[in-house]
Amino acid sequence: MDGPPSSDPGRNPVDRLAEALSCWRAPVLQGLSPALDEHPAAVALTQRWTDTVLTYADLALSLRQPERTIAPLEAAARIMPFHEGIGAQLMPALA
């Protein structure tokens, strides 16, 4: 990917979310300090990313494109293994 995600309003929302999620590299502030893992900004960004993954999964699954959701849902499950919404979306994606 070259440059920032496109802001073209005519693009497919699933494609736009996929492009946005591709910019995510790891949990926020991962490995810097255990205290930073719970910093309010890190927690808020992780929650925003999780919400985006779940929105992406909802859209892709509703369009019968489950294969698109597996990688981001698996990444989210590694970061938040006990999040019920992630697990609930991952099951039909893998089915």
Side-chain angles (χ1 to χ4, degrees), residues 5-83:
S6 171
S7 61
D8 177 7
R11 288 188 54 213
N12 177 330
V14 176
D15 291 338
R16 292 177 71 193
L17 285 170
E19 190 172 7
L21 289 171
S22 73
C23 295
W24 182 266
R25 296 293 175 245
V28 176
L29 304 176
Q30 178 184 18
L32 294 178
S33 164
L36 291 177
D37 291 342
E38 298 302 320
H39 188 279
V43 172
L45 284 172
T46 300
Q47 184 59 52
R48 187 169 185 172
W49 174 76
T50 302
D51 293 344
T52 303
V53 169
L54 292 172
T55 299
Y56 173 67
D58 282 340
L59 285 171
L61 289 171
S62 72
L63 295 172
R64 301 181 189 267
Q65 299 174 1
E67 66 284 350
R68 297 181 73 167
T69 67
I70 294 171
L73 285 169
E74 286 179 337
R78 283 189 296 277
I79 294 168
M80 302 179 78
F82 302 111
H83 191 287

